[in-house]
Amino acid sequence: MKILLISPIPHDELFDLKSYLKDRGHDVRFVGTQDFEEQYSYFVKKMHKLGIVWFKENYYKEMNENIKKIYLDFNPDLVFLTNGAGLKTDLLRFMKKKTKIVTWLFDSVKRDFMIKTHKNFCYYDRVFVFESDDIPYIKKQFGIEAEYCPIGYNNKKYFPQEIPKDIDIIFVGNASEKRVNILRKAAEYVFNHHLTMRIYGNWYDEKHFWKKYQFKKHNPVLFKYIINNKIVPGKVADLYRRSRICLNIHAAVHSGINPRTFDILGTRSFELLDERENYNDLIRPNIDVAIYKNADDLINKIDYYLAHKNERLQISNNGYECVKDKLSIGNCLENIFSTISTI
């Protein structure tokens, strides 16, 4: 099958969809997209906020024109999107005339930056979501039947490897109010108990020096443990392997489990996860992962599991056995393609 894969570049870096599809014999042409905010300078973005919208409009116009040229040259059997952010309705309407379009949402449809994609849902032949609560929402808002498919882990990069554990606590993810509030308490505990903790992600804007000092002023203890860098999946996997406790703190809008859940388990590492409303029968709470209910409970669980190595090892082994045969990104793609073969 000839597949035009249109996906944000970070998605392909994390999940390597292009490689998995090629491994399964498909002829794949990949188009990596990037948000306007990631491409332009502070000055240009400031101009946009002041009402000068030409820069942003022209950026997305050129991006869509480029995709259209590639589409016409490649003549795919299927257009496969992750999220579909930045794609114009006119382009989707044009491709829809002779090609099936499938989207797999890697973010909840309720997140602010996904709102602009809502007008395009009528052009998708199938919609797959990793957040099961999006299914009734999509049905109510758009009259479309969405299907659940978890986003598995990239088992080419996230796999077990025995290396010394020299980090007590690790968290990888970008800043949010929820995460700051929880990790602020964790940082105080770590500092008072002379432990090691590392927090990787985008936590303040390095381009503007005052952002760093503002963050430090409001979070003096937490700041000590922040490494304000984006890191590649292979490095993330090593950090999980080196850590006694891997924290997973979901975005506030999510009620189910995120892909990071499986990344951690795929390295056979111990995961401490914020309590979820829905585990979708994919993992067993307090068997495959440890669960905490709030910041105070998190501190209690950190204290307990650092002191009980054997229990940590049992849970991490359970978690790995739970995901290794069924929750790789390749298996999840197989499930999608076995479903869409009928369209």
Side-chain angles (χ1 to χ4, degrees), residues 1-61:
M1 182 186 295
K2 294 175 68 176
I3 301 172
L4 180 60
L5 172 63
I6 305 173
S7 179
I9 290 174
H11 289 181
D12 193 63
E13 291 173 348
L14 286 169
F15 302 105
D16 209 9
L17 299 178
K18 172 174 75 264
S19 174
Y20 277 102
L21 290 171
K22 286 184 175 180
D23 288 347
R24 281 151 180 77
H26 299 293
D27 184 4
V28 181
R29 184 77 61 88
F30 172 67
V31 181
T33 61
Q34 288 186 289
D35 290 337
F36 167 79
E37 287 74 13
E38 296 173 350
Q39 294 296 296
Y40 281 85
S41 66
Y42 173 79
F43 171 76
V44 170
K45 288 185 282 188
K46 192 71 173 177
M47 296 285 283
H48 177 74
K49 288 182 179 179
L50 292 173
I52 302 174
V53 300
W54 179 87
F55 297 100
K56 187 171 185 177
E57 289 179 349
N58 190 61
Y59 173 76
Y60 284 112
K61 178 183 177 183

Side-chain angles (χ1 to χ4, degrees), residues 169 181-193 195 197 245 247 272 291-307:
I169 301 167
N181 290 337
I182 290 173
L183 289 171
R184 189 184 290 128
K185 284 201 169 188
E188 291 170 358
Y189 173 87
V190 166
F191 181 76
N192 291 331
H193 289 79
L195 301 173
M197 179 167 72
I245 294 178
L247 297 183
L272 188 48
I291 303 296
Y292 67 92
K293 296 181 179 181
N294 51 45
D296 290 334
D297 190 36
L298 171 65
I299 300 307
N300 291 333
K301 294 292 173 61
I302 289 173
D303 188 70
Y304 178 84
Y305 283 111
L306 284 178

Side-chain angles (χ1 to χ4, degrees), residues 113-130:
F113 63 87
M114 290 293 290
I115 299 298
K116 292 182 179 179
T117 69
H118 289 184
K119 64 182 180 296
N120 294 331
F121 270 64
C122 61
Y123 298 103
Y124 301 146
D125 291 280
R126 289 287 177 85
V127 176
F128 295 89
V129 300
F130 89 95

Side-chain angles (χ1 to χ4, degrees), residues 46 90 147 240 244 284 294 306:
K46 192 71 173 177
D90 287 347
E147 300 170 66
Y240 290 154
R244 295 177 179 87
R284 300 166 295 176
N294 51 45
L306 284 178

